[in-house]
Amino acid sequence: MGRVAIQGVTKRFGDVTAVDHLTLEVADQEFLVLLGPSGCGKSTALRMIAGLDEPTEGVIEIGARVVNDVEAKDRDVAMVFQSYALYPHMSVRRNIEFPLRSRRVDRDERQQLVEEAAGMLGLDTLLDRKPAQLSGGQRQRVALARAIVRRPQVFLMDEPLSNLDAKLRVQTRAELVELHRRVTTTVIYVTHDQVEAMTMGDRIAILNDGLLQQVGPPQDVYERPTNLFVARFIGNPPMNTVTGKVVRADGDRHAVAVPGGEIAVKPEIGKALDRLALAEVVAGIRPEHLELGADGPIEATVSVVESLGHERHVFCRLTDGQPVIVRQQAAEAAPAEQTPARLTFDDANLHLFDPTTERRVEA
Amino acid sequence: MTPTTTPPTTAPVAEVPARRRRFSRRVREASLGYALVLPSLLVFGTFIFYPFFKNFYLGLYRNPPFPNLPRKWVGFEQYSDILTSSDFYNSVKVTVLFALYTVPIGIALGLFLAVLAHQRLRGIAIYRTIFSSSIATSVAVASVIFGTLMNPRVGLLPWLGLDPQPPILQNPTWALVAVSVTTVWQNLGLSFILMSSGLQSIPDDLLEAAEVDGAGPWSRFRSVTLPLLSPTIFFAVVVGTIFAFQSFGQIDLLTEGGPLDRTNVLTYAIFTELRERNDPGAAAVLAIALFGITLLLTVIQMRVLERRVFYAR
């Protein structure tokens, strides 16, 4: 069983708290992505699971076993490092074989397992080369082969794609997902790249400043970010967020007054705003949910239009100069730059956040 | 510097035939090259090449047994006399033994201490300073310290209940060992610093990867640290051997080549010939021999050992 449970784990380096009371459960065979900006504690969390760093507080379980006092070499996990950490003096074969030698697997079995792993990753013809003679992508595959060769309970991957060029990264991303399906082992994958997180993970766990922000399937996290940090971190271009005053029209009707117009709010959300007694609120709308039209609640000016071929990013300014991005399909008519426009959107796509706690306002 | 004073170069150059232009450019580049090498050439010429050939030349003359008599040209006769003598054989043997006693142990100890000090522990910097401190002591200081420690009356040995007869520095069996111990100690700082810097150049990732791959501390050391340290160790072996072959101070201060020539290394034999026997010819022959042996050993080490060295590219 490759389940991993992290309970109340904290890691402090002197005065710095790298990971703050992290509690997270990873199911057997799950692909979990730890996502966050650099310095958020995601790599430290991974290193604690690997046994390379010791938690200051808390309990880590792998399978049914508490591993706090188990050394890295006995944890039955494999790790792929950002630098790949291939042994430069050993051939590809010896590199892949190393974990098996360490565990005193006998020679025939070793050879068979190495060839299997190398075959899976298309390394058959490279077995006698040294790492220095390989390309970045090949090195990365050797690191993966070294990880899968002994069938560990858990794979830990620390930004394994970040040293590859953009094209290779997209290709390897898909290969990794495929590989995970074939070897059916739990994977904990650290990245700062939200595209990797969205495309690869069964679930994403987002960390910031050592604190867990949200855990859930990628689509859930995208559609219902639990706070402003997650809302702004996930999605590219990022979600537009504008602070506005809560205005109460007659009776139950609530609206948010933003520069250049008013955004109507659904009655059940209005109740929540009343319950929280918010005078101001942060309104968030993803660029693809905004539309440019002749009529719409919000007045703006188109400043720059960027075409990406398949889509367009339209940079607008609200009446007070705040930037807002609208994402258009290429098929839509392109607006002219430096012209006034009105922004419109569907209520269902509006996200509201408490400006002080930064939490999502829910009905 | 005013760029306006230089005339435009493009116009006249265009009139010169291409071949001539290329030639003058080659000459200019070559003369610049020689000009840049000249200072080093002068220094090396004055202090290395001239003395070397002069030394070789001195060996071709035999000096008279008494001062103020003319020296006599003997060609290679003196070379063959000295290089086949039992004294020379003894000196080579002692020198090789001295290198064998000091180099491997010095490197192993330096590596051992470097591995100990390569931990992330509070206060480890104090140990690093202590371990490297002997690099700041001179041969003279080291010799005085160890001479005192090995003194038969006030030293450490009688205090430990060890009392070799004759006393250790006069003891034919143990004198070379005693000098070697002093040398190992004195070189330990350098060896420690070399090994420490070698260790620091090994990425932590590799050792961590080995740990996750299931390797214990010894296996990590043997399979990862040692191979990646091999260039450093190789360098230390070559340089250490050269140093060992040139050691003089500790022998002069502790044993003066005795007892029974058991510590009469080549450098000390050269010194004796020159200063005590007033025989520059014989000293020159020994010096040339020392040079030849050192060169030969270094070449052999490069051929044999370097094959086992892994250089990261």
Side-chain angles (χ1 to χ4, degrees):
Chain A
M1 277 288 286
R3 150 191 178 276
V4 177
I6 302 162
Q7 287 151 13
V9 166
T10 296
K11 176 69 184 179
R12 283 186 211 98
F13 296 103
D15 295 337
V16 181
T17 305
V19 174
D20 199 351
H21 293 93
L22 177 66
T23 296
L24 189 61
E25 177 138 2
V26 188
D28 184 33
Q29 303 187 9
E30 185 178 3
F31 196 123
L32 180 101
V33 176
L34 279 176
L35 175 68
S38 47
C40 72
K42 55 194 191 303
S43 286
T44 307
L46 197 75
R47 291 173 56 85
M48 285 193 285
I49 300 168
L52 297 172
D53 281 338
E54 237 176 278
T56 317
E57 277 169 38
V59 177
I60 297 174
E61 284 176 33
I62 297 175
R65 175 166 75 138
V66 173
V67 293
N68 284 45
D69 295 325
V70 178
E71 279 187 62
K73 70 185 179 75
D74 303 320
R75 285 196 183 188
D76 199 16
V77 299
M79 186 153 167
V80 177
F81 291 75
Q82 182 173 0
S83 63
Y84 314 141
L86 299 181
Y87 310 120
H89 54 294
M90 297 183 194
S91 65
V92 168
R93 181 191 300 281
R94 287 295 295 258
N95 261 284
I96 301 175
E97 203 180 33
F98 189 80
L100 302 174
R101 278 177 178 266
S102 300
R103 284 182 172 70
R104 300 181 203 298
V105 175
D106 71 63
R107 215 178 131 184
D108 295 341
E109 199 184 342
R110 239 167 35 208
Q111 183 158 2
Q112 191 204 328
L113 288 171
V114 166
E115 269 156 29
E116 242 173 72
M120 252 192 204
L121 288 148
L123 295 165
D124 322 60
T125 55
L126 305 174
L127 284 172
D128 295 320
R129 296 226 192 139
K130 292 271 174 73
Q133 297 166 303
L134 302 178
S135 72
Q138 291 168 334
R139 284 182 211 181
Q140 208 266 350
R141 293 215 298 278
V142 176
L144 282 175
R146 189 175 66 184
I148 63 171
V149 73
R150 68 184 159 84
R151 312 276 151 82
Q153 289 194 63
V154 183
F155 283 146
L156 306 173
M157 304 197 183
D158 190 359
E159 311 234 8
L161 304 184
S162 59
N163 284 346
L164 299 180
D165 64 51
K167 197 174 155 196
L168 202 54
R169 202 178 308 156
V170 173
Q171 185 191 331
T172 314
R173 212 160 68 197
E175 283 172 6
L176 266 180
V177 172
E178 234 173 39
L179 187 71
H180 172 238
R181 293 210 181 105
R182 268 200 285 175
V183 297
T184 59
T185 303
T186 312
V187 176
I188 302 177
Y189 185 104
V190 161
T191 182
H192 64 271
D193 181 341
Q194 44 122 352
V195 179
E196 278 174 29
M198 292 295 294
T199 52
M200 301 173 83
D202 292 325
R203 284 192 307 155
I204 306 180
I206 297 154
L207 283 170
N208 186 34
D209 284 341
L211 286 164
L212 184 63
Q213 307 288 315
Q214 185 170 7
V215 195
Q219 202 59 36
D220 283 12
V221 173
Y222 189 79
E223 285 170 5
R224 295 171 54 78
T226 185
N227 60 32
L228 259 180
F229 175 80
V230 176
R232 286 175 180 150
F233 192 72
I234 300 274
N236 186 27
M239 182 187 279
N240 298 301
T241 53
V242 179
T243 307
K245 276 209 168 59
V246 176
V247 288
R248 286 171 185 77
D250 48 339
D252 273 352
R253 285 190 45 233
H254 287 69
V256 180
V258 295
E262 264 188 20
I263 303 171
V265 172
K266 285 195 275 189
E268 60 269 30
I269 303 281
K271 276 186 196 133
L273 291 174
D274 278 348
R275 193 173 65 238
L276 294 164
L278 293 177
E280 282 197 322
V281 74
V282 179
I285 299 172
R286 295 209 177 271
E288 64 268 33
H289 295 144
L290 271 180
E291 279 175 50
L292 292 167
D295 48 70
I298 301 161
E299 193 188 331
T301 314
V302 176
S303 57
V304 174
V305 180
E306 277 182 355
S307 180
L308 302 181
H310 65 295
E311 66 179 35
R312 233 181 267 116
H313 296 166
V314 181
F315 291 81
C316 300
R317 293 208 178 273
L318 298 182
T319 49
D320 69 338
Q322 275 192 74
V324 169
I325 304 175
V326 179
R327 191 155 139 195
Q328 282 188 326
Q329 295 307 307
E332 292 175 55
E337 291 183 357
Q338 308 304 331
T339 55
R342 296 197 77 87
L343 303 173
T344 173
F345 56 88
D346 184 346
D347 276 7
N349 294 323
L350 178 68
H351 307 263
L352 292 178
F353 301 94
D354 182 326
T356 41
T357 63
E358 302 204 338
R359 282 237 189 74
R360 181 184 186 82
V361 177
E362 301 249 37
Chain B
M1 294 276 265
T2 44
T4 46
T5 56
T6 27
T9 48
T10 43
V13 166
E15 290 157 20
V16 180
R19 212 155 36 127
R20 229 181 92 197
R21 218 187 310 152
R22 229 172 321 167
F23 175 75
S24 75
R25 187 191 165 139
R26 269 222 320 266
V27 168
R28 254 187 298 141
E29 268 181 15
S31 21
L32 177 66
Y34 285 117
L36 290 174
V37 171
L38 192 66
S40 321
L41 212 60
L42 278 177
V43 172
F44 275 95
T46 315
F47 296 103
I48 309 267
F49 302 137
Y50 171 73
F52 178 79
F53 288 109
K54 175 80 181 181
N55 219 351
F56 178 77
Y57 173 77
L58 281 177
L60 301 172
Y61 285 90
R62 203 188 289 279
N63 286 84
F66 305 105
N68 303 325
L69 289 173
R71 60 184 185 172
K72 192 175 133 205
W73 167 270
V74 291
F76 284 98
E77 194 187 290
Q78 183 163 240
Y79 277 92
S80 69
D81 281 358
I82 289 179
L83 299 186
T84 53
S85 69
S86 63
D87 281 354
F88 174 71
Y89 172 76
N90 175 66
S91 279
V92 171
K93 191 180 101 184
V94 169
T95 310
V96 169
L97 275 179
F98 177 71
L100 283 177
Y101 289 169
T102 54
V103 179
I105 294 177
I107 290 171
L109 271 180
L111 179 57
F112 176 71
L113 292 180
V115 169
L116 282 189
H118 191 60
Q119 322 272 336
R120 274 194 213 115
L121 290 177
R122 196 186 293 269
I124 199 76
I126 298 169
Y127 287 92
R128 287 199 191 123
T129 312
I130 294 173
F131 293 157
S132 40
S133 63
S134 80
I135 200 170
T137 54
S138 66
V139 179
V141 172
S143 302
V144 169
I145 293 172
F146 275 80
T148 312
L149 285 175
M150 293 185 283
N151 183 298
R153 272 193 300 276
V154 299
L156 186 68
L157 290 181
W159 188 75
L160 286 172
L162 297 169
D163 197 13
Q165 283 304 326
I168 187 158
L169 290 172
Q170 284 92 55
N171 190 311
T173 317
W174 292 104
L176 189 62
V177 174
V179 176
S180 301
V181 168
T182 310
T183 308
V184 166
W185 182 85
Q186 213 243 318
N187 291 342
L188 194 55
L190 178 64
S191 169
F192 169 76
I193 288 171
L194 270 179
M195 295 302 145
S196 289
S197 70
L199 281 180
Q200 270 159 23
S201 69
I202 299 175
D204 286 345
D205 272 9
L206 289 182
L207 293 164
E208 286 176 348
E211 198 177 343
V212 178
D213 282 345
W218 173 244
S219 169
R220 290 199 292 271
F221 179 75
R222 207 175 39 100
S223 312
V224 182
T225 308
L226 217 46
L228 295 180
L229 213 55
S230 58
T232 310
I233 294 173
F234 174 68
F235 173 77
V237 168
V238 172
V239 173
T241 307
I242 295 174
F243 278 7
F245 271 64
Q246 293 175 348
S247 294
F248 174 78
Q250 57 273 57
I251 287 147
D252 188 34
L253 289 163
L254 288 173
T255 61
E256 297 183 330
L260 307 173
D261 282 347
R262 292 296 165 92
T263 62
N264 195 16
V265 293
L266 274 170
T267 49
Y268 201 79
I270 295 171
F271 170 77
T272 322
E273 290 297 348
L274 192 66
R275 280 298 173 79
E276 274 159 34
R277 300 196 189 139
N278 261 319
D279 190 345
V285 171
L286 288 174
I288 294 290
L290 176 59
F291 168 78
I293 292 171
T294 313
L295 183 69
L296 189 73
L297 258 180
T298 307
V299 170
I300 291 173
Q301 285 174 339
M302 295 219 164
R303 288 277 163 81
V304 176
L305 286 183
E306 205 172 21
R307 255 183 260 151
R308 311 195 50 173
V309 170
F310 170 78
Y311 289 108
R313 266 155 297 164

